[in-house]
Amino acid sequence: MSKILQLHFSFWLAALVFCLTNQNIYGQGTGAGLTIKGRITASSDNQPIIGATITEIDNEQRIINGATADLEGNFVLKVANPSNRIAATYIGYKRVVQQIGDRTTINIKLEVSSNELSEVGVVARRTVSNGLLQVEERNSTVGVASINARELEELSSSSIDQALQGRLPGIDIAANSGDPGAGMQIRIRGTSTINGSSDPLIVVDGMPYETEIPSDFNFGTADDQGYAALLNIAPSDIEEISVLKDAAATAVWGSRASNGVLLIKTKRGRVGKPMVTYTLRGTMSKQPNAIPMLTGDQFSMLIPEAVMNRNGTPLNTEIVKEFLYDPSDPYYYYNYGNNTNWIDEITQIGYKQDHNISLSGGGEKAKYYASVGYLGEVGTTLNTGLKRISTRINLDYDVSDRIRFRTDIAYTHTDNDKNYATNVRGIAYDKMPNMGVYQYDLQGNNTGLYLSPLSNIQGEYPGTYNPLAMLNGATNNVINERIVPKFNLQYDFIPELFSTTFDVQFDIDNTKNKSFLPQFATGRPINEDVVNRAYDGDVDRFGIQTKTNLLFTPKLGEKHELVGIVSFLTSDNKTTSFQELTSNSASPNLQDPASASRVRSLSSNFSQGRSVALLANAQYSLLDRYIINAAIRGDGNSKFGPANRYALFPSISTRWRVSGESFMQQFTFINDLSLRASYGQSGRAPGGNYSFYNIYSNFAYDYLGSPSIYPQNIELSTLKWETVTGKNVGLNLVLFNNRFDFDLDIYRMRTTDLFFDNLQLPGISGYSNIDMNVGTMDNQGWEINIGGTPYKSRDWTVDFNFNISRNVNIIREISEFYPREKGNATANGQYKTFLQENTPFGSFFGYRYKGVYTDAEATIARDKDNNSIIGPDGQSVFMRFNYPFTDYVFQAGDAIYEDINHDGNINYMDIVYLGNGNPKFTGGFGPTLTYKSRLKLTAFFNFRTKYQVVNGTQMNTTNMYGYDNQSTAVLRRWMNPGDITDIPRALWNSGYNWLGSDRYVEDASFIRLRAITLRYNLGKGLMERAKLKSASVYVTGENLLTFTNYTGQDPEVSTRGTDPFRVAIDNSMTPPTRNIVLGLTVGF
Amino acid sequence: MAKKIIYTFLLSFLLLASASCDKYLDLKPQDGIVRQEFWQTKEQLAAAVNGCYASLLNSSLAEKLFLYGELRADMIQPAIGVSSAELNIINVNIESTNAITNWAPFYTTINYCNTVINFAPQVLESDNTLTQNQLNAYVGEALALRALMYFYLVRSFGDVPLKLSPTASDTDDVQIPKSTQAEIFAQIVKDLKLAEEYVVTTYGNRDQNKGRITKYAVNAMLADVYLWLNDYNSSLTECNKIINAGQFGLVAGDNDWFSTIFYQGGSNESIFEIYFNANQLNPFYGMFASSVRRYRAALKVGEEIYTTDLIDPTNRDIRGNGAALQMNDNSIWKYQGINSSAARSSADSYAHWMVYRYADILLMKAEALNQLGQGQAALDIIDTVRERANALPATARTPNPTDKNEITNYLLEERAREFAFEGKRWYDLLRNARRDNYDRIDLLLDIVSTTASPENQQSAITKYRDIRSHYFPIYDYELQTNKKLIQNPFYQ
């Protein structure tokens, strides 16, 4: 354990022992022993209460002595000090406290406590928290959005981030894939960094929750996207989720919080009888219909035509036997004479069951919440699934009025079966449909084995393979064990004035990934190193985080309010990983890496990072109208060299409650009108550890039998904190008896000293790239949130909420060494992207598609006035592509690209702006109808509008360029002169019919009925008869309706990855499924 | 009392926080050694020098050693797996976007050498078992390797940036302009002279002697450099140093000749060769052997350079069929053969890369002698090399000993036979073409008819007439990242 923690601990123990012993001496010093007798009875029937507890408590409510009532309700209690009081408690009865005085016999009657008891005190105003300071929501100076988890529990999502989609303004959550266990991309107010992680910091119950995995761990064949944002917290354990957006709010969390903070509060026990709650959600999921593809027969007509079109030479089916269709050659006839729908072959109906049982309750001193959950999911792609067991125990114990402690322990086990190859679905789309699933032998008998030829005309692994063999044969299993114990101690030095809390959280997070690729999934010859390839990787992470808060709440009279906090935080994260990749085991049944014959790679890694922070934060309010919150945070991080290790980040925010001013009192319909403004900075540390050292490593091989060492990196001695400076102005308006509220925020987040990973370096340095601070980037935009209850009567309530936001991401300044463009406009399938200062990200450029040249006449080049262009030889010139370099002459049936400059030549000068992959507006809305608080109908829509997506699937399925299967759209392709169509001729491996053009660019705006739920709460009478405390059943439909003009599989396409040149391309990952959820919640 | 507690608490809190922070945050990696702790022992120094050699095994460097010497020459032809970048170079259609012109692998090795040259002297201070002579020997190896890399660069690009200090920190300047060819050569000669003084003549072990820089390897480099600089007397001196040392000889030209030199490696003939091994294969299997190979031998290699004895096929030039190539399918055999018929598997593709061998010294000497007007002595050496290899009479020539040009042609033909696919052909042609103010530019113009595709030949000849086109352009990426670079004149 780290040194500082030890110090911390010893200090704390000492302090604690001091406090306790001090009081003990104090407590025992006065008064002699005294014995009290008595009887405890119920006030209703005077019957003894067996097992009632009688305790002696001091003036801090600390228990000194205790006893239990016997079968007659009698008790004997030795009292240490007669000036203390005694308390009698029993579950289900109200607590009674009495002075002892000189009495030696005390009889106590207990009253039955009613159910309402635990609900007293709910009148308090709603509070929000920045994770450290709990302030009333109406006094919050910063942009915070909260959502009560009750609104989310009806969804089928296995992870809460899925459920949050579109619910909160300014938060854009997009699915990476619909496969079980796939992560989500969460962006709060856009992306504030180019290369670094853009995922927000997640804080669970006041302590940061690690979601990143070390970058050097590659999980074999899987991508880290799948892990990044998966939050393994059972949704039913969550009480509330808040999102801190503006910089003044995030500044208190410092490094990593610059992407925003997601605060999650889990449920805790409440005083009352034990309450058992069982929730069940059963979900059935179905994939939306796939894009219709050619059958084997249609495909076998297309290919010879495409080859013929190339240069007039027909396809030689004697060599290319895949299209021979000759019954006298049974091997090819049966194996390549099929009509296989590969997508159907790999798709299934998905099921999910989610059980959660929780027990909560508590008495005067102790409160508890414990839950156990099981989630079992079968994905819609064959052999994908997720199993999760999650448990949580949240304990609160009040030692006395001044000392309290809380212990939370959460354990999660996840077992995720993933696809070995991430592109199985893409391969299935492309796979030649005339191929069969199972192999026929030379005599034409079905062997029952998968048809996985070494290679065929379409190619070989990894370009193509048998998707069914891949899904059924290859495995890729990730097992994660995570235990997060957390301890919290609170001590009030001076009650109501000065208190302190100490938190320590351990995080044990072990992941094991095993995968295996059998020979029959690829068909490769046995001596190749992809055959029977086994991978086993382990990454064990251990984290310790501590937080020490000193909270100061002086009473300054009626007009003033001041809350101050000083917080000291440390974090220590260690990761060890071990990975082994071997191949060529003797049989596909020998799947352990140890049994394979060839070691491909073997690596182990240890890495450690630490950070400390000291924060001072205070909120002051005057006359309830003028509120100011200021904070300063000092950060230190081990990822920086000594020169730049520490940094200071200030923040300040204010709120003016206009409605509190006297001149506003006449507008009685206004409950609250406030203006907010904030400014704040927060710093981000880089991803890698030790980068400020020049590290010498071994080559993976020797030279002449001796070890060889080389300097592996450049020492980054100048790397400094990336700083996000946020400015925010906002407005809160609450009207008509709190029935309507309106929030508006306008912000600009400027990232300076932008981290740039892998900035290119000149080759003469001996290295190819370096991480540096370069440039400045802005995220700016606005958010509106409207909520209200437009109609309310005795029986009916109609609630409505709506949120919308817009964010723009702009580079203001960037290193001169950074390349400014990407993409080759003279190659098929590529779009051009540029990186320009003061222009938003995500724009892409290409040609304009104008249809198909119907005949040779149409390919004559024409100038601006539509006259044909005459060449030097006096003849009409035909349209050319990229003269003089490529100099392809367009033929009838080829794609027409608009000749923007009318020079008869399609080249880079004809490239125009085609779109931007970032949505203009995102948000959600939905009504809730409640009838007699028994029947409730909730609908929720989310939307993303005005963004352009490259329909990559359409591009790949209509290009007729290779041997990949094509969609049924190509049935209307150009075939003969005079054909008027929008699909060019089939042209195998030549021509320029699928250049990056607007043909594949589509507006992917959509509005989706994300969820609709009908919920019925059982009536009181019914519940009492069934001895239930609460019961409800509901049915939810998810993703039932999507309104969009997008023709691809699913319009929700996120720009994945960190490349600033990235274009939103839809390659038909497993799309979000349509789900029907049946749920049941019973409390007893 | 409460106040007392508060003060005690605050005080100890602040003390703890400030005192232990710096220590707490000071973490060092455990998977490697940081520079501050390296350069302490002579074992570390030896490993770092070995790292310079190991970097030569980087497949992108080995690939470029081949490509730079053969792509623009006439010994290879493209095969099915060839990339468009490679085709463009073959067709003399070279643009600065062509990734083949990325010189980074050379500078990576140069940086490792610079690191050794710069930091090695520190070891003397901490390790007193290291002698000055041992230190010099290690530094000499790094100097020679650095010179070799610059020699490749200067012959391929002309003017290049001369970086002599290591890049260790992000504060090191990597924006360096080009130095002239003359400056580069001056540095090369200076480094090699120093290396000659420093390095050992033997490491006491055959593989070490062949796989590491010895004094003879330095002499060989110097001979080559002087020949390029038209300093024939100096070149002759260096060649004679090697010949008179008596440590090397020609391997007998029998059926084992190919296997001895190229399969087993480390032969008596070898002066310096790069030792690939089973842990680090060379890139040649994919280039020459796989079904999607990138290159085959040019047609004329079998037909004209070696020729066949039609009457007695067993009477063959031992360097031709079954050694440099397989004539039946024109596959390049030098790096994939075990003997004349058996082939290496992909997992055994670790044939060494020959940098200098004795035959090269002999033929360099012949070239120097020819230029010094001793034509007959040159022809005698050529005959020695031919006899050893059983060169066929059809390839023999009888130039007049005073006809420098004819002897040059003969020498070039013999070098082509001797060093086929060893990455020397283009440099041999260019060295001879540029002599006497490009008197023999015809050497370059003549090969175009067999290299460039027909539609590119005319423009290729036009380009080659401009002597600035004989050097590669600077890769775009370098221009982008090094603002002090100026594109080479032909490509501006």
Side-chain angles (χ1 to χ4, degrees), chain A residues 840-860:
Chain A
F841 268 152
S843 296
F844 51 95
F845 298 77
Y847 301 97
R848 276 210 196 109
Y849 182 71
K850 288 281 162 215
V852 177
Y853 291 111
T854 56
D855 48 32
E857 173 77 16
T859 66
I860 292 172

Side-chain angles (χ1 to χ4, degrees), chain A residues 890-909:
Chain A
F890 285 102
Q891 307 289 313
D894 281 346
I896 306 174
Y897 299 105
E898 187 173 336
D899 188 7
I900 304 284
N901 57 359
H902 299 284
D903 61 353
N905 181 22
I906 302 297
N907 63 1
Y908 68 93
M909 289 188 280

Side-chain angles (χ1 to χ4, degrees), chain A residues 331-344:
Chain A
Y331 178 84
Y332 280 98
Y333 185 72
Y334 289 106
N335 284 330
Y336 291 91
N338 301 283
N339 287 303
T340 308
N341 185 330
W342 288 102
I343 290 289
D344 280 0

Side-chain angles (χ1 to χ4, degrees), chain A residues 2-4 7 11-12 18 22 493-494 498 500 548 550 566 568 570-572 604-606 608-612 614 636-638 645-646 690 692-697 699 701-704 706-711 713-719 760-768 770 816-819, chain B residues 1-2 5-6 9-10 12-13 16-17 20-36 38-39 47-48 50-51 53-55 57-58 103-104 107-108 111-112 115 119 161 163 167-171 174-176 207-208 211-212 273-275 277 279-280 477-478 480-483:
Chain A
S2 60
K3 199 170 180 180
I4 195 150
L7 286 169
F11 169 74
W12 262 99
F18 173 73
N22 196 20
F493 283 108
I494 302 163
F498 183 50
T500 172
T548 308
L550 302 175
V566 174
F568 179 65
T570 71
S571 113
D572 181 351
S604 66
N605 188 280
F606 173 87
Q608 185 173 24
R610 283 177 178 160
S611 66
V612 293
L614 188 62
N637 197 306
S638 69
R645 191 164 281 161
Y646 302 96
Y690 316 127
F692 56 95
Y693 280 114
N694 203 186
I695 299 171
Y696 285 67
S697 301
F699 275 104
Y701 51 88
D702 61 287
Y703 188 74
L704 287 168
S706 305
S708 38
I709 284 178
Y710 69 105
N713 65 329
I714 300 180
E715 156 190 325
L716 301 179
S717 51
T718 59
L719 197 68
Q760 292 181 331
L761 263 187
I764 59 164
S765 66
Y767 298 93
S768 54
I770 189 173
E816 56 173 334
F817 305 122
Y818 197 79
Chain B
M1 199 201 66
I5 299 172
I6 296 167
F9 181 86
L10 277 177
S12 36
F13 178 83
L16 275 172
S20 45
C21 250
D22 245 6
K23 246 186 170 173
Y24 180 70
L25 293 179
D26 206 13
L27 296 176
K28 273 185 187 158
Q30 298 187 359
D31 294 336
I33 311 171
V34 302
R35 189 184 68 233
Q36 289 78 352
F38 201 78
W39 306 113
N50 219 39
Y53 289 106
S55 70
L57 307 191
N58 180 334
W103 60 34
Y107 279 104
T108 302
N111 185 50
Y112 297 158
T115 306
F119 291 107
K163 190 162 190 316
T167 313
S169 157
D170 55 1
T171 52
V174 291
Q175 304 282 316
I176 298 177
D207 285 335
Q208 301 272 328
R212 290 175 66 178
E273 63 192 64
I274 299 173
Y275 271 61
N277 60 43
N279 295 326
Q280 179 66 3
Y477 164 104
E478 290 297 310
Q480 170 77 47
T481 51
N482 182 353
K483 298 295 178 196

